[in-house]
Amino acid sequence: MSYVKFGPAGRPVDYNGNANMACSYIRSIGLDAYEYQATYGVKISEKSAIELKMDSDESNVLVSMHAPYYVNLSSNKDDVVERSIQRLVQAASASEWMGAYRTVFHPGFYTTYTPEEAMERCKNSITIIQEELEAQGVNDYNLAPETTGKKSQLGSLDEIIEICSSFDYVEPTVDFAHVHARNNGCIKGKDDYSRIFTKLEDELGLKTLHSHFTSIEYTDKGERKHHTLMEEDYGPPLEPLMEIVAENGWNITMICETPLRDRDALVMKGVYDEVLGSNI
């Protein structure tokens, strides 16, 4: 039986407590997923991470972690790559402490490389990360490279699929807004979403997906700014995605990345419930 979970990217807007107790709050408002944000570095202690895991287990909230945004595994500077590797090792270690089922990260930028060269550099970095995690005894992890929103970034849907097909314990994070933005507003309706799911299933054999969603503003260079779901001038469209999700039988976690992350996650869940109800 398929399941669909909804939750915020980071601390809920109206929550003032500790991050390690956020899951019980998230459950209390009707959501069941939480992406812990290590945006500026992995600063959570092992003790706090274990407390977060206990809270998530008691609340039945699925936890993921977003690794630091400074990660760039394809940089043309060796010291940047080395620091990025260590940040991801730290993130995966903390993910194990908190029971996070995915460690999400942005693969990097093309910089002075061709896309093929940047890809090779990124893959070499992931190999080193996995070797280091094994050496440290970190076994319960799943690295989740994310589709990126800027055309200067490594992370098209095809590139993410290539990365994931090259390693064990590496599965995709599909940010639908990023796919939309880096491809000049390519998602117009249900068929466009269907093509994404079909590609993932055909090329990776998936029926489980970690995903992000927001309304997004973009330019000819790609992603510019996240917007709330109420701002109707921005895409991609939400309802066609919920229709596909209700029909395709996948297990999907949908993390809301709008400025109103938990409030809009509830909006997303409400649209999904309406679509699901109409299909019964």
Side-chain angles (χ1 to χ4, degrees):
M1 182 177 179
S2 64
Y3 67 78
V4 182
K5 293 180 178 290
F6 295 89
R11 184 188 298 273
V13 174
D14 298 317
Y15 177 67
N16 296 316
N18 293 328
N20 56 354
M21 299 299 291
C23 290
S24 53
Y25 174 83
I26 287 168
R27 171 57 71 179
S28 75
I29 62 173
L31 299 171
D32 46 16
Y34 173 47
E35 189 151 291
Y36 177 87
Q37 301 284 291
T39 309
Y40 301 109
V42 181
K43 300 176 182 178
I44 191 168
S45 67
E46 183 175 0
K47 178 178 180 293
S48 293
I50 292 171
E51 290 173 348
L52 192 159
K53 184 180 186 304
M54 292 173 61
D55 187 46
S56 69
D57 288 345
E58 292 172 2
S59 305
N60 193 25
V61 169
L62 185 65
V63 173
S64 54
M65 174 194 275
H66 199 304
Y69 286 6
Y70 301 129
V71 167
N72 184 353
L73 298 180
S74 58
S75 173
N76 56 1
K77 297 179 180 178
D78 289 344
D79 61 326
V80 171
V81 173
E82 290 170 7
R83 288 196 297 272
S84 297
I85 288 170
Q86 290 309 308
R87 287 182 177 122
L88 262 176
V89 169
Q90 291 170 356
S93 298
S95 290
E96 186 177 61
W97 296 338
M98 68 175 62
Y101 93 119
R102 294 287 188 275
T103 304
V104 180
F105 68 96
H106 301 155
F109 287 80
Y110 300 127
T111 59
T112 57
Y113 296 123
T114 65
E116 294 76 18
E117 291 168 338
M119 173 65 75
E120 190 62 28
R121 196 158 171 83
C122 177
K123 287 181 181 179
N124 289 339
S125 299
I126 293 174
T127 297
I128 295 170
I129 289 164
Q130 293 193 319
E131 290 172 349
E132 182 63 26
L133 289 171
E134 182 178 356
Q136 292 187 17
V138 179
N139 302 308
D140 189 10
Y141 71 89
N142 193 306
L143 301 175
E146 177 184 346
T147 53
T148 51
K150 293 184 173 65
K151 296 178 181 180
S152 58
Q153 290 175 288
L154 178 67
S156 69
L157 181 61
D158 286 335
E159 287 169 337
I160 295 301
I161 288 172
E162 179 177 345
I163 292 170
C164 293
S165 65
S166 302
F167 298 93
D168 293 329
Y169 311 112
V170 179
E171 296 192 17
T173 297
V174 173
D175 187 313
F176 293 102
H178 285 170
V179 173
H180 184 69
R182 79 177 283 147
N183 293 288
N184 305 308
C186 67
I187 300 177
K188 308 293 186 183
K190 193 172 174 180
D191 288 346
D192 300 309
Y193 285 118
S194 182
R195 279 190 285 271
I196 294 172
F197 282 101
T198 298
K199 178 180 279 287
L200 292 168
E201 187 169 2
D202 289 349
E203 299 192 27
L204 293 176
L206 294 182
K207 291 294 284 188
T208 296
L209 181 65
H210 187 74
S211 69
H212 292 170
F213 189 87
T214 185
S215 294
I216 199 163
E217 180 180 353
Y218 62 90
T219 68
D220 58 357
K221 295 181 179 180
E223 173 188 12
R224 181 179 182 184
K225 184 179 180 181
H226 290 196
H227 289 270
T228 68
L229 298 184
M230 291 180 63
E231 298 175 83
E232 296 179 355
D233 292 339
Y234 304 101
L238 175 60
E239 187 167 345
L241 174 59
M242 296 299 99
E243 291 173 354
I244 288 291
V245 169
E247 293 170 5
N248 67 10
W250 284 49
N251 297 328
I252 301 176
T253 303
M254 305 203 70
I255 299 298
C256 181
E257 289 197 313
T258 78
L260 297 177
R261 43 204 172 271
D262 53 310
R263 298 179 191 174
D264 277 346
L266 286 168
V267 172
M268 291 166 59
K269 184 176 185 293
V271 173
Y272 172 74
D273 288 343
E274 286 180 10
V275 169
L276 192 63
S278 67
N279 287 345
I280 295 176

